[in-house]
Amino acid sequence: MIGVDRLFVHCRELVTLSDGPPTGPRRGETMRRLGVIEDGAVAVRGGRIVAVGTTDAIAAEYDAAEELDLSGFVVLPGFVDCHTHPVFARTRENEFHMRCAGADYMAITAAGGGILSSMQAVRETDLETLTERTVEHLWGFLAHGTTTVEAKSGYGLSLAAEQKSLEALAAALAQVPIACKRTFLGAHEFPPEYRDDRAAYVQLVCEQMIPALAPLADYCDVFAEPGVFDREQSARVLAAARAHGLGLRVHADEIQPMAGAELAVEYGAASADHLGRISAAGIAALAGSDTVGVLLPGTIFFLGKTHYAPARAMIEAGCAVALATDFNPGSCHTQSMTLIHSLACTQMKMSAEEVITASTINPAFSLQLDAECGTLHPGKRADLCVLDLPSWRAVGYALGGNPVVMTVANGEPVVANVSEREPDWFEGDDPVVG
Ligand code: NIG
Ligand code: FE
């Protein structure tokens, strides 16, 4: 017998994604290969996956001090949410209801609300408080089965406030057992002091913020959108970021078309995100590249709009497609990947297999973390999402609520969402009860 630290056994279905390659993006037909093992088990040592298989096969070969019985539950790789804005100080429910009553999202920002009201709140909030808020937001992801996130700054819009945001993120990450890639998003909006001299703000981002803040981030993002950063301004930001060693991500073709997907491909960005207004040329550009198309249907839903990204056309063209929450205080206030699954199925006509692949290995590839997470191949981090569902086929079908009963990060149960149904493995105060 081989000794390991922990065995997770009797998973009703263990969705491994391990009948595809461990790394690299999955496109087209390969998005449907889930590698499901019935009555599955996972052996874990040192926070890493040692082996997956049927419970019988794993129990015959591996021996552990601790065994967690996940009978009745569906187990997936921990979700990877590759587009989030968790570093904010206050919520914006007032604007949500203004929009529901007819106000326009971009008009609210143009009038000094929107991103600028979050900017005001971040500038007024001290590092310690901003860190506390960020810690709460990061725990919210874990409570919904997400074990890896990408997290953006972008509500500071000055060197000092962007630095405070990235420092709050770093401090929060030291307190929360979630894996993260950090993104600098100083080019999220034009702050009031530069609204009449936009070129000066682009210069500040490129010549001061990026050089100073690159050590605190892995990626740089830009909101490439008519009326915000135009093509030329966005390109300048991307070029400066690349010159300072940052990977690139782009808020592209979100509200109005701007050939943002093409811009992302041209600069070799890791992702082009939103894409509600992507063109046929943009789809072709993404399909011929390793730039992942990150779709954010929660945002379209939350803004009360209907121009969902053309997921079917993108998948059929061969784009590597990912899904993310876009969690933020303005345009999508949810940390629930399972809600995003429901929207992706109903509004973008994605299949259950596709939404699972799009929230695990493809976003992991977009974060250059595909060797670490996104499938249950041996050697990767033992990050698991345990769902109270009858089958993986119920992904998307389970609308609202939180089907996540346990989240495992690096082999450790870190969240147990238990209610009246209290499984044997929950024995007290170890995991956080969400
Ligand atoms: O991805 N589009 C720009 N940024 C965010 C929204 C930020 C906000 O409204 O606070 C987004 O939707
Ligand atoms: Fe966003």
Side-chain angles (χ1 to χ4, degrees):
M1 294 287 266
I2 302 169
V4 293
D5 298 337
R6 187 175 277 133
L7 294 178
F8 296 91
V9 297
H10 295 304
C11 310
R12 175 184 296 198
E13 293 167 347
L14 181 66
V15 179
T16 67
L17 287 93
S18 64
D19 54 356
T23 57
R26 299 202 180 175
R27 304 168 191 270
E29 192 53 45
T30 65
M31 289 186 76
R32 308 210 179 105
R33 293 195 201 141
L34 294 185
V36 179
I37 301 171
E38 283 176 23
D39 192 11
V42 186
V44 174
R45 191 193 304 116
R48 301 265 157 183
I49 297 167
V50 175
V52 297
T54 61
T55 298
D56 280 353
I58 293 293
E61 209 176 329
Y62 296 94
D63 192 33
E66 202 185 322
E67 214 173 89
L68 286 180
D69 186 337
L70 298 180
S71 294
F73 298 129
V74 174
V75 178
L76 266 55
F79 297 131
V80 179
D81 191 341
C82 65
H83 183 135
T84 86
H85 305 249
V87 190
F88 63 86
R90 285 201 288 271
T91 53
R92 303 203 321 247
E93 56 276 13
N94 53 339
E95 276 172 30
F96 171 80
H97 290 294
M98 281 164 69
R99 280 198 307 274
C100 293
D104 176 68
Y105 175 66
M106 295 303 275
I108 290 172
T109 307
I115 292 171
L116 296 179
S117 86
S118 288
M119 178 208 75
Q120 201 55 41
V122 162
R123 288 183 178 183
E124 284 164 7
T125 301
D126 61 38
L127 175 63
E128 200 189 346
T129 310
L130 190 58
T131 302
E132 277 168 26
R133 292 288 98 79
T134 306
V135 165
E136 289 161 15
H137 298 153
L138 294 176
W139 272 111
F141 291 106
L142 286 166
H144 289 87
T146 293
T147 48
T148 301
V149 286
E150 179 265 10
K152 303 175 199 294
S153 69
Y155 292 119
L157 308 185
S158 69
L159 176 56
E162 285 295 312
Q163 178 162 345
K164 179 171 65 180
S165 299
L166 290 168
E167 286 173 354
L169 176 60
L173 289 169
Q175 300 175 46
V176 183
I178 194 163
C180 181
K181 285 280 180 103
R182 307 149 304 163
T183 298
F184 165 67
L185 178 54
H188 197 190
E189 240 312 340
F190 289 89
E193 59 273 24
Y194 286 98
R195 277 198 102 70
D196 298 326
D197 189 0
R198 293 181 169 223
Y201 187 65
V202 174
Q203 192 175 356
L204 178 72
V205 169
C206 294
E207 293 176 16
Q208 290 187 44
M209 292 194 199
I210 289 173
L213 302 180
L216 296 176
D218 305 292
Y219 293 96
C220 176
D221 194 343
V222 55
F223 187 13
E225 178 74 28
V228 194
F229 290 82
D230 66 23
R231 196 175 199 288
E232 191 264 323
Q233 292 163 334
S234 300
R236 281 196 61 199
V237 171
L238 295 173
R242 191 166 59 183
H244 282 85
L246 291 169
L248 307 177
R249 318 186 78 80
V250 184
H251 278 69
D253 300 322
E254 175 180 354
I255 296 162
Q256 297 300 324
M258 203 181 94
E262 294 93 315
L263 178 73
V265 171
E266 185 184 327
Y267 278 83
S271 70
D273 304 44
H274 283 287
L275 306 176
R277 302 289 190 192
I278 191 172
S279 67
I283 294 176
L286 281 186
S289 76
D290 272 346
T291 302
V292 175
V294 178
L295 313 186
L296 308 166
T299 307
I300 300 292
F301 179 77
F302 197 82
L303 292 178
K305 295 182 185 275
T306 53
H307 61 280
Y308 289 92
R312 283 259 57 85
M314 293 178 66
I315 291 170
E316 272 141 38
C319 302
V321 167
L323 290 166
T325 60
D326 194 20
F327 172 67
N328 74 71
S331 68
C332 192
H333 194 249
T334 184
Q335 289 126 316
S336 170
M337 189 63 83
T338 58
L339 174 63
I340 300 302
H341 290 159
S342 295
L343 296 173
C345 293
T346 59
Q347 308 303 304
M348 301 197 300
K349 312 302 174 199
M350 290 174 70
S351 69
E353 294 96 325
E354 287 166 347
V355 302
I356 290 171
T357 302
S359 50
T360 53
I361 185 63
N362 280 359
F365 173 75
S366 91
L367 297 174
Q368 291 151 299
L369 286 173
D370 46 328
E372 287 288 299
C373 59
T375 70
L376 302 184
H377 283 85
K380 291 198 186 189
R381 284 201 306 257
D383 291 349
L384 307 173
C385 167
V386 181
L387 298 167
D388 186 7
L389 294 178
S391 161
W392 62 266
R393 291 180 180 81
V395 163
Y397 167 78
L399 180 65
N402 184 6
V404 174
V405 290
M406 182 188 245
T407 305
V408 176
N410 293 304
E412 297 293 328
V414 293
V415 168
N417 291 320
V418 283
S419 54
E420 71 286 351
R421 178 168 181 176
E422 198 163 292
D424 294 344
W425 44 256
F426 182 70
E427 282 172 356
D429 48 25
D430 221 0
V432 169
V433 181

PDB file of all heavy atoms in Angstrom, residues 140-160:
ATOM      1  N   GLY A 140     -16.060  34.592  -0.458  1.00  0.00           N
ATOM      2  CA  GLY A 140     -17.298  34.344  -1.203  1.00  0.00           C
ATOM      3  C   GLY A 140     -17.071  33.429  -2.398  1.00  0.00           C
ATOM      4  O   GLY A 140     -17.936  32.616  -2.738  1.00  0.00           O
ATOM      5  N   PHE A 141     -15.912  33.568  -3.045  1.00  0.00           N
ATOM      6  CA  PHE A 141     -15.607  32.658  -4.159  1.00  0.00           C
ATOM      7  C   PHE A 141     -15.461  31.225  -3.645  1.00  0.00           C
ATOM      8  O   PHE A 141     -16.000  30.286  -4.232  1.00  0.00           O
ATOM      9  CB  PHE A 141     -14.315  33.076  -4.882  1.00  0.00           C
ATOM     10  CG  PHE A 141     -14.451  34.356  -5.656  1.00  0.00           C
ATOM     11  CD1 PHE A 141     -13.872  35.533  -5.203  1.00  0.00           C
ATOM     12  CD2 PHE A 141     -15.172  34.387  -6.839  1.00  0.00           C
ATOM     13  CE1 PHE A 141     -14.010  36.711  -5.909  1.00  0.00           C
ATOM     14  CE2 PHE A 141     -15.307  35.561  -7.561  1.00  0.00           C
ATOM     15  CZ  PHE A 141     -14.727  36.732  -7.089  1.00  0.00           C
ATOM     16  N   LEU A 142     -14.697  31.055  -2.572  1.00  0.00           N
ATOM     17  CA  LEU A 142     -14.500  29.701  -2.033  1.00  0.00           C
ATOM     18  C   LEU A 142     -15.838  29.081  -1.648  1.00  0.00           C
ATOM     19  O   LEU A 142     -16.070  27.895  -1.873  1.00  0.00           O
ATOM     20  CB  LEU A 142     -13.559  29.748  -0.818  1.00  0.00           C
ATOM     21  CG  LEU A 142     -12.075  29.979  -1.142  1.00  0.00           C
ATOM     22  CD1 LEU A 142     -11.309  30.341   0.123  1.00  0.00           C
ATOM     23  CD2 LEU A 142     -11.463  28.742  -1.803  1.00  0.00           C
ATOM     24  N   ALA A 143     -16.726  29.891  -1.089  1.00  0.00           N
ATOM     25  CA  ALA A 143     -18.040  29.368  -0.674  1.00  0.00           C
ATOM     26  C   ALA A 143     -18.845  28.871  -1.872  1.00  0.00           C
ATOM     27  O   ALA A 143     -19.762  28.066  -1.722  1.00  0.00           O
ATOM     28  CB  ALA A 143     -18.823  30.443   0.073  1.00  0.00           C
ATOM     29  N   HIS A 144     -18.502  29.353  -3.062  1.00  0.00           N
ATOM     30  CA  HIS A 144     -19.210  28.925  -4.277  1.00  0.00           C
ATOM     31  C   HIS A 144     -18.377  27.966  -5.128  1.00  0.00           C
ATOM     32  O   HIS A 144     -18.642  27.796  -6.313  1.00  0.00           O
ATOM     33  CB  HIS A 144     -19.644  30.146  -5.092  1.00  0.00           C
ATOM     34  CG  HIS A 144     -20.754  30.904  -4.433  1.00  0.00           C
ATOM     35  ND1 HIS A 144     -20.529  31.891  -3.503  1.00  0.00           N
ATOM     36  CD2 HIS A 144     -22.113  30.790  -4.533  1.00  0.00           C
ATOM     37  CE1 HIS A 144     -21.683  32.356  -3.077  1.00  0.00           C
ATOM     38  NE2 HIS A 144     -22.667  31.709  -3.682  1.00  0.00           N
ATOM     39  N   GLY A 145     -17.349  27.360  -4.522  1.00  0.00           N
ATOM     40  CA  GLY A 145     -16.622  26.289  -5.211  1.00  0.00           C
ATOM     41  C   GLY A 145     -15.458  26.750  -6.075  1.00  0.00           C
ATOM     42  O   GLY A 145     -14.861  25.937  -6.784  1.00  0.00           O
ATOM     43  N   THR A 146     -15.136  28.028  -6.025  1.00  0.00           N
ATOM     44  CA  THR A 146     -14.036  28.561  -6.836  1.00  0.00           C
ATOM     45  C   THR A 146     -12.751  28.556  -6.005  1.00  0.00           C
ATOM     46  O   THR A 146     -12.713  29.148  -4.924  1.00  0.00           O
ATOM     47  CB  THR A 146     -14.378  29.983  -7.313  1.00  0.00           C
ATOM     48  OG1 THR A 146     -15.474  29.881  -8.214  1.00  0.00           O
ATOM     49  CG2 THR A 146     -13.198  30.635  -8.013  1.00  0.00           C
ATOM     50  N   THR A 147     -11.726  27.894  -6.530  1.00  0.00           N
ATOM     51  CA  THR A 147     -10.470  27.764  -5.784  1.00  0.00           C
ATOM     52  C   THR A 147      -9.326  28.567  -6.418  1.00  0.00           C
ATOM     53  O   THR A 147      -8.266  28.670  -5.824  1.00  0.00           O
ATOM     54  CB  THR A 147     -10.067  26.280  -5.692  1.00  0.00           C
ATOM     55  OG1 THR A 147     -10.172  25.700  -6.992  1.00  0.00           O
ATOM     56  CG2 THR A 147     -10.965  25.520  -4.725  1.00  0.00           C
ATOM     57  N   THR A 148      -9.557  29.095  -7.604  1.00  0.00           N
ATOM     58  CA  THR A 148      -8.553  29.953  -8.255  1.00  0.00           C
ATOM     59  C   THR A 148      -9.291  31.146  -8.871  1.00  0.00           C
ATOM     60  O   THR A 148     -10.300  30.956  -9.561  1.00  0.00           O
ATOM     61  CB  THR A 148      -7.827  29.184  -9.384  1.00  0.00           C
ATOM     62  OG1 THR A 148      -7.193  28.031  -8.829  1.00  0.00           O
ATOM     63  CG2 THR A 148      -6.769  30.062 -10.056  1.00  0.00           C
ATOM     64  N   VAL A 149      -8.770  32.338  -8.616  1.00  0.00           N
ATOM     65  CA  VAL A 149      -9.368  33.532  -9.239  1.00  0.00           C
ATOM     66  C   VAL A 149      -8.292  34.380  -9.901  1.00  0.00           C
ATOM     67  O   VAL A 149      -7.124  34.334  -9.518  1.00  0.00           O
ATOM     68  CB  VAL A 149     -10.094  34.471  -8.233  1.00  0.00           C
ATOM     69  CG1 VAL A 149     -11.402  33.905  -7.768  1.00  0.00           C
ATOM     70  CG2 VAL A 149      -9.200  34.844  -7.062  1.00  0.00           C
ATOM     71  N   GLU A 150      -8.742  35.170 -10.847  1.00  0.00           N
ATOM     72  CA  GLU A 150      -7.981  36.315 -11.325  1.00  0.00           C
ATOM     73  C   GLU A 150      -8.640  37.505 -10.658  1.00  0.00           C
ATOM     74  O   GLU A 150      -9.874  37.558 -10.584  1.00  0.00           O
ATOM     75  CB  GLU A 150      -8.091  36.410 -12.851  1.00  0.00           C
ATOM     76  CG  GLU A 150      -7.358  37.586 -13.468  1.00  0.00           C
ATOM     77  CD  GLU A 150      -8.254  38.789 -13.699  1.00  0.00           C
ATOM     78  OE1 GLU A 150      -9.417  38.814 -13.224  1.00  0.00           O
ATOM     79  OE2 GLU A 150      -7.801  39.731 -14.358  1.00  0.00           O
ATOM     80  N   ALA A 151      -7.831  38.439 -10.107  1.00  0.00           N
ATOM     81  CA  ALA A 151      -8.404  39.565  -9.380  1.00  0.00           C
ATOM     82  C   ALA A 151      -7.788  40.864  -9.876  1.00  0.00           C
ATOM     83  O   ALA A 151      -6.563  40.997  -9.918  1.00  0.00           O
ATOM     84  CB  ALA A 151      -8.159  39.407  -7.875  1.00  0.00           C
ATOM     85  N   LYS A 152      -8.660  41.821 -10.216  1.00  0.00           N
ATOM     86  CA  LYS A 152      -8.188  43.081 -10.803  1.00  0.00           C
ATOM     87  C   LYS A 152      -8.249  44.217  -9.790  1.00  0.00           C
ATOM     88  O   LYS A 152      -9.159  44.267  -8.959  1.00  0.00           O
ATOM     89  CB  LYS A 152      -9.090  43.473 -11.980  1.00  0.00           C
ATOM     90  CG  LYS A 152      -9.192  42.411 -13.069  1.00  0.00           C
ATOM     91  CD  LYS A 152     -10.211  42.827 -14.145  1.00  0.00           C
ATOM     92  CE  LYS A 152     -10.683  41.660 -14.978  1.00  0.00           C
ATOM     93  NZ  LYS A 152      -9.656  41.043 -15.805  1.00  0.00           N
ATOM     94  N   SER A 153      -7.312  45.145  -9.913  1.00  0.00           N
ATOM     95  CA  SER A 153      -7.466  46.455  -9.269  1.00  0.00           C
ATOM     96  C   SER A 153      -8.372  47.252 -10.211  1.00  0.00           C
ATOM     97  O   SER A 153      -9.100  46.675 -10.994  1.00  0.00           O
ATOM     98  CB  SER A 153      -6.099  47.121  -9.110  1.00  0.00           C
ATOM     99  OG  SER A 153      -5.574  47.492 -10.392  1.00  0.00           O
ATOM    100  N   GLY A 154      -8.344  48.569 -10.143  1.00  0.00           N
ATOM    101  CA  GLY A 154      -9.084  49.327 -11.140  1.00  0.00           C
ATOM    102  C   GLY A 154     -10.155  50.245 -10.576  1.00  0.00           C
ATOM    103  O   GLY A 154     -10.900  50.880 -11.326  1.00  0.00           O
ATOM    104  N   TYR A 155     -10.237  50.322  -9.226  1.00  0.00           N
ATOM    105  CA  TYR A 155     -11.147  51.291  -8.632  1.00  0.00           C
ATOM    106  C   TYR A 155     -10.372  52.365  -7.864  1.00  0.00           C
ATOM    107  O   TYR A 155     -10.931  53.039  -7.008  1.00  0.00           O
ATOM    108  CB  TYR A 155     -12.152  50.594  -7.702  1.00  0.00           C
ATOM    109  CG  TYR A 155     -13.131  49.706  -8.442  1.00  0.00           C
ATOM    110  CD1 TYR A 155     -13.184  48.339  -8.187  1.00  0.00           C
ATOM    111  CD2 TYR A 155     -13.995  50.233  -9.398  1.00  0.00           C
ATOM    112  CE1 TYR A 155     -14.081  47.520  -8.864  1.00  0.00           C
ATOM    113  CE2 TYR A 155     -14.887  49.420 -10.082  1.00  0.00           C
ATOM    114  CZ  TYR A 155     -14.924  48.070  -9.814  1.00  0.00           C
ATOM    115  OH  TYR A 155     -15.816  47.272 -10.488  1.00  0.00           O
ATOM    116  N   GLY A 156      -9.077  52.495  -8.206  1.00  0.00           N
ATOM    117  CA  GLY A 156      -8.274  53.540  -7.574  1.00  0.00           C
ATOM    118  C   GLY A 156      -8.058  54.689  -8.553  1.00  0.00           C
ATOM    119  O   GLY A 156      -8.299  55.846  -8.248  1.00  0.00           O
ATOM    120  N   LEU A 157      -7.586  54.342  -9.753  1.00  0.00           N
ATOM    121  CA  LEU A 157      -7.396  55.307 -10.843  1.00  0.00           C
ATOM    122  C   LEU A 157      -6.448  56.453 -10.499  1.00  0.00           C
ATOM    123  O   LEU A 157      -6.555  57.544 -11.068  1.00  0.00           O
ATOM    124  CB  LEU A 157      -8.752  55.842 -11.352  1.00  0.00           C
ATOM    125  CG  LEU A 157      -9.803  54.777 -11.722  1.00  0.00           C
ATOM    126  CD1 LEU A 157     -11.040  55.455 -12.310  1.00  0.00           C
ATOM    127  CD2 LEU A 157      -9.265  53.736 -12.699  1.00  0.00           C
ATOM    128  N   SER A 158      -5.551  56.207  -9.546  1.00  0.00           N
ATOM    129  CA  SER A 158      -4.408  57.100  -9.319  1.00  0.00           C
ATOM    130  C   SER A 158      -3.284  56.158  -8.910  1.00  0.00           C
ATOM    131  O   SER A 158      -3.551  55.017  -8.513  1.00  0.00           O
ATOM    132  CB  SER A 158      -4.681  58.110  -8.195  1.00  0.00           C
ATOM    133  OG  SER A 158      -4.751  57.439  -6.944  1.00  0.00           O
ATOM    134  N   LEU A 159      -2.068  56.644  -9.002  1.00  0.00           N
ATOM    135  CA  LEU A 159      -0.949  55.763  -8.623  1.00  0.00           C
ATOM    136  C   LEU A 159      -1.125  55.274  -7.183  1.00  0.00           C
ATOM    137  O   LEU A 159      -1.032  54.086  -6.896  1.00  0.00           O
ATOM    138  CB  LEU A 159       0.390  56.503  -8.808  1.00  0.00           C
ATOM    139  CG  LEU A 159       1.633  55.733  -8.370  1.00  0.00           C
ATOM    140  CD1 LEU A 159       1.742  54.381  -9.058  1.00  0.00           C
ATOM    141  CD2 LEU A 159       2.892  56.552  -8.645  1.00  0.00           C
ATOM    142  N   ALA A 160      -1.431  56.210  -6.270  1.00  0.00           N
ATOM    143  CA  ALA A 160      -1.528  55.826  -4.854  1.00  0.00           C
ATOM    144  C   ALA A 160      -2.675  54.846  -4.614  1.00  0.00           C
ATOM    145  O   ALA A 160      -2.525  53.861  -3.885  1.00  0.00           O
ATOM    146  CB  ALA A 160      -1.708  57.076  -3.991  1.00  0.00           C
TER     147      ALA A 160
END
